[in-house]
Amino acid sequence: MPKATFLGHSCVTVENGKHKIIIDPFLSGNEKSAAKPEDIKVDHVLITHGHGDHVGDGIEIAKKNDATVIANFELANLCAKEGCKVHPMHIGGGFNFDFGRVKLTIAHHGGGYGEHANVYTGPPVGFLITMDDKVMYHPGDTGLFYDMKLIGEMNDIDLAWLPIGDNFTMGIEDAVKAVEFLQPKKVVPFHYDTFDVIAADPNQFASQAKGAEVTVLKPGESIDY
Ligand code: NI
Ligand code: MN
């Protein structure tokens, strides 16, 4: 049974005793983060899009751990130029890694790297990650989209993370609809309260979401799925 740990914002680690991966490692720039980049030991770094609150410390963590960055083709190439080992992929494509399968989904959002987010990093993506036959969906930053219904139909999702912070992504009302589309067994809200502009009440989301077990995690807390 894989264990997922919330490290704050959109950063999640997944481990099964044999492998450990990290997604969107925004740690040193996030005062609410539950970990320091130098303490992270992983074999893969997955990054959903080029924004600073998702690439975060990913390049440094990948290089220090000799870990492979998994990202869309454009962002993977940027990381390769920075000295990382990379595995480029793109939307709709899946690949069987030693730790499990990763498939890239669409996400409706922006993509751009650097102080002014003006370095092209291709479209944002989400990740469907199958480890030990358990399916986890990390949608990255996205608005609600109707194809979530298709993602839910084609995948028996054990755990879905959903942004609820509004402004840059779905807010609570749309995240509740996303739960209806995705039909996951378990849901954890994220991408809220990191900054004032994305303040949200996760318990309001928990009380409104139907058909899934919602767990509100504080940075540093884990969930088995
Ligand atoms: Ni973003
Ligand atoms: Mn973000």
Side-chain angles (χ1 to χ4, degrees), residues 49 51 53-54 109-110 141 168-169 191:
H49 63 291
H51 290 163
D53 60 320
H54 296 261
H109 190 66
D141 280 356
F168 297 115
T169 66
H191 208 276

Side-chain angles (χ1 to χ4, degrees), residues 3-225:
K3 177 172 89 164
T5 301
F6 179 52
L7 294 181
H9 201 52
S10 290
C11 181
V12 176
T13 62
V14 189
E15 62 200 298
N16 64 357
K18 241 175 117 185
H19 296 282
K20 185 169 181 179
I21 65 172
I22 193 165
I23 307 161
D24 286 357
F26 174 52
L27 303 174
S28 62
N30 177 9
E31 57 186 45
K32 292 178 174 148
S33 163
K36 294 194 179 75
E38 53 268 32
D39 297 330
I40 301 294
K41 300 268 179 289
V42 290
D43 33 60
H44 288 80
V45 178
L46 283 68
I47 307 175
T48 59
H49 63 291
H51 290 163
D53 60 320
H54 296 261
V55 176
D57 307 290
I59 290 167
E60 295 76 15
I61 289 171
K63 286 202 276 193
K64 192 161 165 275
N65 286 274
D66 199 27
T68 301
V69 173
I70 300 170
N72 79 30
F73 183 79
E74 294 83 1
L75 181 53
N77 272 276
L78 185 148
C79 294
K81 201 174 150 204
E82 296 294 325
C84 299
K85 287 200 300 194
V86 301
H87 183 110
M89 299 181 69
H90 235 304
I91 294 165
F95 187 83
N96 296 323
F97 294 90
D98 55 358
F99 65 87
R101 182 169 176 82
V102 176
K103 185 177 178 184
L104 267 56
T105 69
I106 60 167
H108 288 318
H109 190 66
Y113 180 73
E115 195 186 344
H116 303 289
N118 60 345
V119 178
Y120 181 67
T121 52
V125 306
F127 295 117
L128 282 162
I129 300 165
T130 307
M131 200 188 266
D132 296 346
D133 293 324
K134 298 287 181 179
V135 180
M136 189 187 99
Y137 178 46
H138 185 303
D141 280 356
T142 188
L144 178 66
F145 55 92
Y146 198 67
D147 283 0
M148 282 185 175
K149 204 167 157 67
L150 182 64
I151 293 172
E153 273 172 26
M154 293 183 69
N155 300 277
D156 195 4
I157 299 170
D158 294 285
L159 172 63
W161 300 79
L162 288 174
I164 63 162
D166 219 346
N167 194 75
F168 297 115
T169 66
M170 290 188 273
I172 288 173
E173 187 186 1
D174 287 5
V176 166
K177 195 69 183 174
V179 173
E180 187 186 316
F181 287 163
L182 293 165
Q183 308 246 307
K185 292 187 185 72
K186 298 181 180 184
V187 181
V188 182
F190 70 176
H191 208 276
Y192 66 94
D193 282 359
T194 319
F195 321 109
D196 291 345
V197 74
I198 57 169
D201 178 4
N203 295 312
Q204 188 193 333
F205 168 71
S207 66
Q208 290 177 10
K210 297 271 178 296
E213 181 189 323
V214 180
T215 304
V216 176
L217 296 180
K218 291 193 190 73
E221 292 182 338
S222 300
I223 183 169
D224 294 317
Y225 65 97

